[in-house]
Amino acid sequence: MRAQSSATASPRIAVGAENATTGGASFGTVQAALGVVAFSLTFPATAWGLEGFGPWSLIAVRSILAAAVAGVCLLALRVAPPERRHWLGLAVVGAGVVLGFPLLTTLALQTSTTAHAAVVVGLLPLTTALLSALRVGTRPSRTFWFAALAGAAAVIAFTVQQSGGALTSTDAYLFAALLVCAAGYTEGGRLAREMPGWQVIGWALVLCLPLTVPMAAVALSYEPVHLTAHAVTGLLWVAIGSQFLGLVVWYRGMAAIGIPKASQLQLAQPLLTLVWSVLLLGEHLPVAAPLTAAAVLVCIAVTQRARG
């Protein structure tokens, strides 16, 4: 009887473990998706911020504000400093997502519309998956790669068509931003497997303070500041929403479901950005947007089901 009872209990334990794993993956997907929503507002919020701040001032102040929030959280919870072996990875995260991507995209948005700049996030999922394969050793299936390439192609075709097929000088900023951000995402996703995701971005922000504080002092002395409702709202969102809270849930989601699958959720980001651009900036929504959205959503569904 005892043997029979044990045999009966084992499948229940296995089913429970499977349900827990499935639930964790589902919650990870939700967190990564929340990160994408937060990121989709970054370009419109940056455009608002540029109404009252110079590009260098906006970049430096947003990083300092995000670092202040992260620092308070780290101190309040008495989080011990990361191990020495993690500092290099945190430096890559800081260089990519704290400094590099905000700097390059903000400079690009001075002369580019948010719709055109969306080409960066259209290519970002594929680039992140490629760097993940090189850095972390992930090996997604052929189906995954086919869907990822198809989704990236749809987004690229859409954004290039909207720009008239001609690339501008701002594209140098955008493509450079693509590479540094993908590197930061990849390294952050790897670190989030060994420490909480919010600590990854928190320590990266704090690590950048020796650069961002002097940058802010110099930039604010040269660039005029005009405080308006749009400028302040845009600054607060890119600092707290995009730079800290968005990255917290993003890295947690990447740790739960894997870097390649999480990165493919970002295929929806350019289209969400276009929606916000219409609602918040009054930009014209192209007729091709719904068709591209449908194609991208299909690709996302395939990548999420494909085995890595």
Side-chain angles (χ1 to χ4, degrees), residues 14-39:
V15 171
E18 181 178 354
N19 289 338
T21 302
T22 303
S26 298
F27 187 52
T29 301
V30 170
Q31 291 183 100
L34 288 174
V36 171
V37 174
F39 299 152

Side-chain angles (χ1 to χ4, degrees), residues 71-239:
V72 169
C73 293
L74 292 168
L75 288 174
L77 297 175
R78 298 181 180 180
V79 177
E83 298 178 20
R84 182 178 298 180
R85 61 191 178 92
H86 290 148
W87 282 110
L88 180 59
L90 290 170
V92 174
V93 174
V97 302
V98 175
L99 295 176
F101 186 78
L103 170 63
L104 294 166
T105 54
T106 299
L107 293 175
L109 284 171
Q110 291 186 101
T111 56
S112 172
T113 64
T114 56
H116 181 75
V119 71
V120 173
V121 287
L123 290 171
L124 188 54
L126 180 59
T127 308
T128 303
L130 287 170
L131 290 183
S132 172
L134 295 174
R135 177 69 177 91
V136 187
T138 54
R139 294 293 182 269
S141 65
R142 292 182 179 179
T143 302
F144 177 95
W145 284 116
F146 176 80
L149 288 170
V155 173
I156 293 170
F158 173 74
T159 52
V160 170
Q161 186 271 330
Q162 291 305 309
S163 67
L167 300 179
T168 66
S169 58
T170 62
D171 292 313
Y173 290 134
L174 296 174
F175 286 121
L178 165 70
L179 293 175
V180 298
C181 189
Y185 279 175
T186 300
E187 198 63 23
R190 185 188 66 82
L191 288 173
R193 296 176 179 178
E194 303 181 34
M195 66 174 70
W198 74 272
Q199 292 183 25
V200 173
I201 185 58
W203 286 115
L205 285 164
V206 171
L207 185 64
C208 291
L209 280 175
L211 294 175
T212 55
V213 170
M215 182 192 299
V218 174
L220 289 172
S221 65
Y222 283 94
E223 296 177 338
V225 175
H226 304 286
L227 295 180
T228 64
H230 275 185
V232 173
T233 301
L235 171 62
L236 291 176
W237 180 260
V238 294

